[in-house]
């Protein structure tokens, strides 16, 4: 037999296509020819490698859902979901959830620290006031109830009252210590020692404010309404952990800082990657502002829990992270106002992860906030940066 | 429901599929489970490019579902699916050639980023991309679909000897290209 003819038989034998009657002839040729045996080993190596390749090739999990959606086979959606969850191995689950969460966490931390150093906390946020007009402050005070009293001053509010750093001013203020103490005693006597100056809020409002913050920690109630316009509706619940600049050194509001900041939102898909919506939240902000009493300027520092509301736009960038089609970066911009009267702007950037065939997505990112407010005709700005984490239920 | 469908033959599933009701949808899912890996492997290795393969793979099942209502009898369901996939693959290749010929098979090689890659497998894919289309197709049908020579002949509507000749040439061509590397690998 010629070499080509024998090679053809080797290939047919490896493919299981060689008739039994011809096998003996092939084996005889192989037994006497090392070159043929080498040739057979080479074909076998190729076949084995390709076999392992062929058995490892599987369509991406999203393919089935894409097909079902394209054909409008709604009945199969749940079935595919169930299949997916049953067939998932622990490693796959860890890879599916662990990797995106880890990446989101790392990227958020990185963004946080970069933003933190970019922002450079500045203690001179409170601007000097030249005004002597005494206007009632509009800020609800949550001045610490259990703050340790300042040993130099005797009134409960003294630890939230700081004289300016300017030494000249400090000397002036110290010389008027008696007047200051008298002023605070008047405040205590009028039973507004937990409010600013001539605060407009009552104890009831304060209690309601604190109580409502507790309520905001509860799990969100998921709506069950149908989306009639075939556009997705996102009901979001997210927590916010951040640091304000200025950042008054009042400890009472910091105890539950991570848990006590949260927001609820409702967004609608307008285009593929763009959503519009509204969001309401309650957050603790550090405030530092000047208050003029009897011609004397005091710096007031507070950490009230402030309600805010905003309209927003959410854009999911069309990129995949680590070849994971479900893991995508996003940017959200919110603009609105707060209960203390000024405008509020928020920018959020991070990563979203939506498990295959699920109706929810989780996200983690960095958030920056600008809160504007006014007191006694002066405007102030509190900046806040931090991380945000949450979940969106998709209808 | 799904457990019961697993026991049904392809032909029985296809009849259920033709009904188009809820049972038909489950039948479609069962067919997808049975043959999606094979069809995907065929598309992936025939086209090379992951995105093209994914598009054709999805289009194959979409077209299969849409045409299932017109087909009354189904004698060989996987072959039917493969025929659809093949036509779509050829269309995709034609479109690719029209757009760019230079990137053609470089794309095939460069877009492979799967974890399952080994060095030898990379070499095989590179060599495979250099084969003429008709050789590569027969090679894929044999090695990736596990089709017999007769099935390939029927599928491509060519004679059995032609299948043998093309397969022989395809495999020999691959071996010639890979021989130096295979020798290296065989040392370990």
């Amino acid at each position: 037999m010629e070499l080509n003819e024998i090679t053809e038989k080797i290939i047919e034998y490896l493919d299981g296509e060689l008739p039994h009657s011809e096998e003996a002839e092939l084996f005889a040729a192989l037994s006497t020819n090392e070159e043929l045996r080498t040739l057979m080993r080479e074909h076998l190596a190729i076949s084995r490698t390709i076999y392992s390749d062929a058995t490892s090739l599987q369509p991406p999990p999203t393919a089935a859902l894409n097909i079902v959606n394209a054909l409008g086979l709604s009945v199969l959606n749940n079935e595919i979901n169930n299949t997916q969850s049953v067939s998932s191995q622990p490693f796959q689950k860890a890879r599916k959830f662990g990797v995106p969460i880890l990446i989101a966490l790392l990227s958020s931390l990185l963004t946080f620290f970069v933003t933190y150093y970019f922002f450079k906390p500045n203690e001179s946020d409170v601007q000097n006031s030249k005004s002597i007009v005494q206007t009632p402050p509009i800020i609800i005070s949550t001045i610490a109830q259990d703050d340790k009293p300042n040993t130099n001053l005797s009134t409960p509010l003294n630890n939230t009252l700081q004289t300016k750093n300017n030494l000249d001013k400090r000397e002036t203020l110290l010389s008027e210590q008696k007047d200051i103490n008298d002023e605070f005693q008047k405040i205590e006597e009028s039973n507004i020692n937990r409010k600013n100056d001539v605060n407009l809020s009552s104890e009831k409002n304060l209690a309601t404010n604190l109580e409502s913050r507790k309520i905001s920690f509860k799990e969100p109630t998921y709506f069950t309404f149908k989306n009639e316009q075939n556009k997705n509706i996102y009901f979001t619940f997210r927590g916010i952990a951040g640091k304000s600049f200025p950042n008054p050194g009042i400890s009472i509001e910091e105890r539950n800082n991570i848990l006590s900041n949260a927001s609820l939102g409702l967004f609608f898909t307008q285009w593929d990657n763009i959503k519009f919506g509204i969001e309401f939240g309650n957050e603790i902000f550090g405030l530092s502002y000047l208050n003029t009493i009897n011609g004397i300027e005091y710096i007031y520092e507070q950490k009230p829990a402030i309600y805010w509301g905003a309209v927003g736009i959410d854009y999911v960038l069309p990129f995949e992270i680590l070849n994971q089609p479900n893991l995508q970066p996003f940017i959200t911009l919110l603009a609105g106002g707060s209960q203390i009267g000024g405008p509020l702007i928020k920018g959020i950037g991070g990563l979203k992860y939506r498990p295959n065939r699920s109706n929810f997505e989780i996200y983690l990112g960095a958030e920056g906030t600008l809160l504007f407010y006014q007191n006694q005709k002066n405007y102030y700005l509190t900046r806040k940066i931090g991380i945000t984490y949450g979940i969106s239920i998709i209808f | 429901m799904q457990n019961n469908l697993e026991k049904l033959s392809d032909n029985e599933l296809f009849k259920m599929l033709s009904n188009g009701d809820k049972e038909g949808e489950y039948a479609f899912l069962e067919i997808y489970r049975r043959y999606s890996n094979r069809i995907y492997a065929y598309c992936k290795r025939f086209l090379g490019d992951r995105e093209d393969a994914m598009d054709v793979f999805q289009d194959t099942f979409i077209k299969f579902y849409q045409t299932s209502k017109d087909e009354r009898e189904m004698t060989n369901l996987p072959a039917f699916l493969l025929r659809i996939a093949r036509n779509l693959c050829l269309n995709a290749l034609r479109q690719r050639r029209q757009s760019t010929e230079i990137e053609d098979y470089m794309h095939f090689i460069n877009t492979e980023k799967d974890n399952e890659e080994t060095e030898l497998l990379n070499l095989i894919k590179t060599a495979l991309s250099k084969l003429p289309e008709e050789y590569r197709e027969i090679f894929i049908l044999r090695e990736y679909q596990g089709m017999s020579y007769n099935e390939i002949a029927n599928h491509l509507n060519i004679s059995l000897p032609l299948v043998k000749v093309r397969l022989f040439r395809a495999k020999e061509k691959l071996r010639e290209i890979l021989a130096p590397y295979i020798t290296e690998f065989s040392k370990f």
Side-chain angles (χ1 to χ4, degrees):
Chain A
M1 283 193 293
E2 292 183 6
L3 184 60
N4 271 357
E5 196 178 344
I6 296 176
T7 308
E8 197 174 331
K9 288 189 184 302
I10 289 172
I11 290 170
E12 286 181 20
Y13 173 73
L14 293 176
D15 285 343
E17 297 275 350
L18 187 70
H20 288 298
S21 58
E22 297 180 27
E23 284 181 359
E25 190 181 5
L26 175 65
F27 292 155
L30 286 169
S31 65
T32 58
N33 192 329
E34 175 59 27
E35 188 184 355
L36 288 179
R37 288 200 293 274
T38 303
L39 191 144
M40 187 168 179
R41 274 196 293 271
E42 289 170 350
H43 276 293
L44 200 56
I46 293 171
S47 290
R48 281 176 178 165
T49 309
I50 287 172
Y51 178 77
S52 67
D53 179 41
T55 51
S56 67
L57 281 174
Q58 290 181 344
T62 51
L65 193 63
N66 291 343
I67 293 167
V68 164
N69 286 339
L71 291 170
L73 307 179
S74 56
V75 179
L76 290 182
N77 267 318
N78 290 334
E79 183 68 25
I80 293 171
N81 276 328
N82 294 337
T83 306
Q84 189 68 18
S85 60
V86 169
S87 63
S88 293
Q89 299 299 317
F91 175 75
Q92 289 171 324
K93 283 182 180 174
R95 189 180 171 196
K96 188 190 291 180
F97 293 105
V99 173
I101 289 171
L102 187 64
I103 291 167
L105 191 63
L106 290 175
S107 62
S108 296
L109 284 173
L110 183 67
T111 312
F112 174 81
F113 286 115
V114 168
T115 315
Y116 179 83
Y117 286 108
F118 178 74
F119 260 90
K120 290 285 182 193
N122 184 357
E123 292 183 356
S124 62
D125 277 317
V126 178
Q127 299 162 17
N128 290 330
S129 169
K130 302 299 180 188
S131 170
I132 57 170
V133 178
Q134 187 168 346
T135 307
I138 57 171
I139 297 165
I140 297 169
S141 171
T142 55
I143 290 170
Q145 298 174 40
D146 59 350
D147 280 348
K148 292 176 183 175
N150 189 320
T151 52
N152 294 326
L153 302 171
S154 58
T155 59
L157 288 180
N158 281 340
N159 60 341
T160 62
L161 171 66
Q162 297 174 359
T163 55
K164 291 182 178 177
N165 290 332
N166 184 304
L167 289 174
D168 293 334
K169 190 73 176 178
R170 178 186 287 273
E171 281 180 12
T172 306
L173 290 171
L174 285 173
S175 70
E176 295 171 351
Q177 179 67 57
K178 189 174 180 300
D179 294 333
I180 295 170
N181 288 338
D182 291 341
E183 184 66 31
F184 279 119
Q185 279 186 353
K186 286 178 186 174
I187 295 171
E188 282 187 316
E189 285 168 5
S190 60
N191 197 26
I192 55 173
N193 61 337
R194 290 187 173 85
K195 308 176 189 65
N196 291 341
D197 193 15
V198 281
N199 197 341
L200 297 178
S201 295
S202 64
E203 285 288 343
K204 188 180 176 182
N205 286 342
L206 180 60
T208 307
N209 182 27
L210 294 170
E211 188 61 30
S212 62
R213 255 191 286 123
K214 292 176 187 172
I215 291 168
S216 67
F217 308 147
K218 289 181 179 177
E219 286 296 317
T221 303
Y222 302 142
F223 299 126
T224 55
F225 56 81
K226 290 287 183 184
N227 178 6
E228 294 176 356
Q229 295 179 340
N230 202 25
K231 289 182 177 179
N232 285 329
I233 300 168
Y234 290 70
F235 180 68
T236 67
F237 172 72
R238 67 186 179 91
I240 306 153
K243 185 177 180 182
S244 287
F245 303 106
N247 185 34
I250 303 168
S251 60
I252 185 169
E253 299 294 2
E254 292 177 346
R255 287 177 190 163
N256 298 313
N257 206 19
I258 293 177
L259 296 175
S260 63
N261 293 276
S263 74
L264 295 172
L266 202 60
F267 282 80
F268 302 84
T269 308
Q270 186 60 34
W271 295 288
D272 282 351
N273 289 349
I274 298 177
K275 296 189 285 288
F276 292 100
I278 53 172
E279 193 165 326
F280 298 95
N282 181 269
E283 273 182 77
I284 294 168
F285 286 93
L287 306 179
S288 182
Y289 55 94
L290 286 176
N291 215 31
T292 304
I293 303 169
N294 294 334
I296 302 171
E297 290 180 335
Y298 304 106
I299 301 173
Y300 275 65
E301 294 190 326
Q302 297 175 304
K303 280 190 171 178
I306 296 172
Y307 286 99
W308 56 265
V311 294
I313 180 170
D314 179 277
Y315 177 60
V316 178
L317 280 68
F319 305 125
E320 293 178 7
I321 309 292
L322 290 179
N323 283 331
Q324 295 252 356
N326 305 336
L327 184 64
Q328 290 184 297
F330 75 96
I331 298 170
T332 304
L333 291 175
L334 296 165
S338 71
Q339 71 176 119
I340 59 174
L344 173 139
I345 299 169
K346 278 180 174 288
I348 306 163
L351 291 173
K352 286 186 177 181
Y353 179 73
R354 182 176 179 179
N356 288 326
R357 302 176 181 86
S358 65
N359 65 337
F360 71 94
E361 62 184 18
I362 54 176
Y363 53 88
L364 187 59
E367 175 174 323
T369 306
L370 299 176
L371 173 71
F372 300 89
Y373 57 98
Q374 183 191 20
N375 184 52
Q376 292 186 333
K377 295 188 175 179
N378 293 309
Y379 289 94
Y380 301 94
L381 166 64
T382 288
R383 294 171 296 187
K384 187 175 179 182
I385 58 171
I387 59 171
T388 182
Y389 46 90
I391 185 169
S392 289
I393 309 297
I394 303 160
F395 300 96
Chain B
M1 179 73 170
Q2 207 59 39
N3 291 335
N4 296 333
L5 291 178
E6 285 174 5
K7 297 169 187 170
L8 297 180
S9 69
D10 287 352
N11 203 18
E12 288 169 320
L13 287 173
F14 189 77
K15 282 178 182 169
M16 284 175 65
L17 179 63
S18 306
N19 295 335
D21 54 8
K22 187 178 174 182
E23 281 192 347
E25 290 192 22
Y26 280 109
F28 176 70
L29 184 61
E30 176 59 24
I31 291 169
Y32 180 87
R33 280 177 178 153
R34 286 185 190 182
Y35 299 111
S36 57
N37 287 1
R38 285 176 63 178
I39 299 299
Y40 181 73
Y42 176 84
C43 297
K44 183 94 183 281
R45 289 293 165 250
F46 197 10
L47 294 171
D49 180 74
R50 179 198 293 265
E51 288 181 11
D52 284 354
M54 181 69 171
D55 288 344
V56 168
F57 168 75
Q58 291 177 174
D59 288 347
T60 299
F61 276 92
I62 290 168
K63 194 166 186 181
F64 165 74
Y65 184 83
Q66 289 168 340
T67 56
S68 63
K69 293 177 176 54
D70 303 328
E71 299 281 333
R72 291 182 181 275
E73 289 294 326
M74 180 55 61
T75 52
N76 191 339
L77 199 147
F80 183 62
L81 277 167
L82 267 179
R83 196 157 62 241
I84 297 172
R86 180 174 184 255
N87 290 335
L88 292 172
C89 281
L90 291 173
N91 286 342
L93 281 178
R94 273 194 288 273
Q95 285 173 1
R96 191 190 290 177
R97 282 198 203 93
Q98 284 170 3
S99 59
T100 169
E101 291 188 353
I102 299 169
E103 292 178 0
D104 205 0
Y105 287 119
M106 289 304 293
H107 202 50
F108 176 90
I109 300 158
N110 294 335
T111 51
E112 293 294 325
K113 293 175 183 173
D114 288 348
N115 294 328
E116 79 267 17
E117 281 183 352
T118 63
E119 200 173 343
L120 181 58
L121 183 57
N122 269 332
L123 291 168
I124 289 172
K125 282 188 281 191
T126 307
L128 200 57
S129 69
K130 292 179 178 174
L131 287 179
E133 196 175 297
E134 61 270 23
Y135 291 0
R136 187 170 71 250
E137 185 181 21
I138 284 186
F139 183 85
I140 290 168
L141 288 173
R142 169 63 220 160
E143 297 296 329
Y144 285 90
Q145 299 298 310
M147 292 174 86
S148 70
Y149 291 1
N150 272 323
E151 286 172 330
I152 294 171
N154 289 334
H155 181 69
L156 298 179
N157 200 21
I158 57 177
S159 67
L160 185 62
L162 191 56
V163 170
K164 285 184 179 181
V165 169
R166 284 184 180 176
L167 197 58
F168 167 74
R169 286 179 184 165
K171 289 195 171 189
E172 269 299 279
K173 190 80 178 171
L174 280 178
R175 191 189 63 78
E176 283 169 17
I177 295 169
L178 298 172
Y181 307 104
I182 292 172
T183 308
E184 281 298 309
F185 278 108
S186 62
K187 287 178 183 173
F188 299 101

